[in-house]
Amino acid sequence: MILELHPQNPEKRILGQISKRLSEGGVYIFPTDTVYALVADSQSHTGVEKLYKLKNISKNQPLSLLCGDISTASNYMEQLSNEAFRLMKRITPGPFTFVVKANKHLPRVSFSNQKEKNIGIRIPDSKYLLALLEIHPNPLTSTSVFFKDEFVIDVDRIEEEYGSRVDGIVDGGILELELSTILDCTDDGISILREGKGMERISNL
């Protein structure tokens, strides 16, 4: 089912319904500021299990944690270096994944199978997701929509492949195929693990 939300002021009533279903174990597909992503409540065992099955990936494969702001993200990671914190504050929300050391509050439902005690955190520049995260009680566990060795960026194709298997697909149109830039902030410095969208904003690294 494709859901149409206002691109500037997403309807709170619909977002409230989505939030409730996520808490019950639902899975949705949302457009981000990069590609489309499958999302589940990070504290929902049922939702996270569905996410792994939909993506057909091993439970050892890392997922991302979507947060609405730095304050929320800080609840799940060890203290950042001053350099990393200043950078995160400057470029978020945006198309960046920050690999950080996780703390004891990391949602074990979502990340108990990961060998490394690191986590990829995103604060996406997406009005749909940011509006949802304002009302939803937990961060979202996320993974990009990928089918038959390619990213799916057309909402109609996503509907064909996933429409009957997810609780809803938020229409963001056809997105550009741009992946997030991945930044490793686990040490004192910052290193680029993958160059992607937004590189011009961190050209001084």
Side-chain angles (χ1 to χ4, degrees):
M1 175 175 64
I2 295 179
L3 303 173
E4 303 283 350
L5 294 176
H6 192 283
Q8 299 302 320
N9 297 293
E11 293 82 351
K12 290 184 178 180
R13 177 183 61 83
I14 298 175
L15 291 174
Q17 294 170 349
I18 293 173
S19 175
K20 182 175 184 296
R21 183 67 194 115
L22 286 168
S23 296
E24 295 168 346
V27 172
Y28 285 80
I29 294 176
F30 270 74
T32 72
D33 49 355
T34 52
V35 295
Y36 278 92
L38 289 153
V39 300
D41 186 309
S42 60
Q43 299 286 6
S44 170
H45 184 273
T46 300
V48 173
E49 285 287 322
K50 287 180 184 177
L51 193 150
Y52 275 113
K53 289 179 181 178
L54 283 164
K55 190 75 176 282
N56 192 27
I57 56 177
S58 164
K59 291 183 179 180
N60 293 322
Q61 187 163 329
L63 304 174
S64 296
L65 191 69
L66 301 185
C67 298
D69 50 43
I70 295 176
S71 177
T72 301
S74 66
N75 293 328
Y76 305 98
M77 59 186 181
E78 298 288 355
Q79 187 170 356
L80 291 176
S81 68
N82 289 334
E83 179 186 9
F85 178 79
R86 286 195 297 267
L87 179 66
M88 183 180 283
K89 187 175 181 180
R90 179 169 64 84
I91 65 176
T92 61
F96 306 97
T97 299
F98 296 87
V99 178
V100 299
K101 292 180 179 179
N103 65 22
K104 63 181 181 180
H105 301 298
L106 184 69
R108 304 315 304 170
V109 166
S110 295
F111 302 100
S112 60
N113 294 294
Q114 291 187 194
K115 294 179 181 179
E116 299 291 334
K117 298 306 179 184
N118 298 332
I119 185 174
I121 288 181
R122 285 207 63 196
I123 304 173
D125 190 10
S126 162
K127 288 188 180 297
Y128 301 125
L129 282 169
L130 291 177
L132 174 61
L133 287 163
E134 278 187 6
I135 64 172
H136 193 67
N138 301 314
L140 301 173
T141 298
S142 170
T143 183
S144 56
V145 174
F146 196 78
F147 187 77
K148 292 185 177 178
D149 298 326
E150 64 179 356
F151 290 96
V152 186
I153 56 175
D154 183 334
V155 71
D156 291 326
R157 173 133 185 256
I158 292 174
E159 167 71 8
E160 292 176 7
E161 303 293 351
Y162 291 98
S164 63
R165 297 188 287 157
V166 297
D167 292 85
I169 302 163
V170 174
D171 188 358
I174 298 176
L175 304 182
E176 295 183 17
L177 182 50
E178 294 183 279
L179 303 182
S180 67
T181 293
I182 302 179
L183 303 169
D184 186 346
C185 303
T186 56
D187 295 320
D188 290 338
I190 304 169
S191 59
I192 299 172
L193 299 181
R194 181 180 74 192
E195 294 188 5
K197 188 175 180 180
M199 280 296 299
E200 70 281 357
R201 295 169 62 182
I202 54 170
S203 57
N204 59 333
L205 284 184

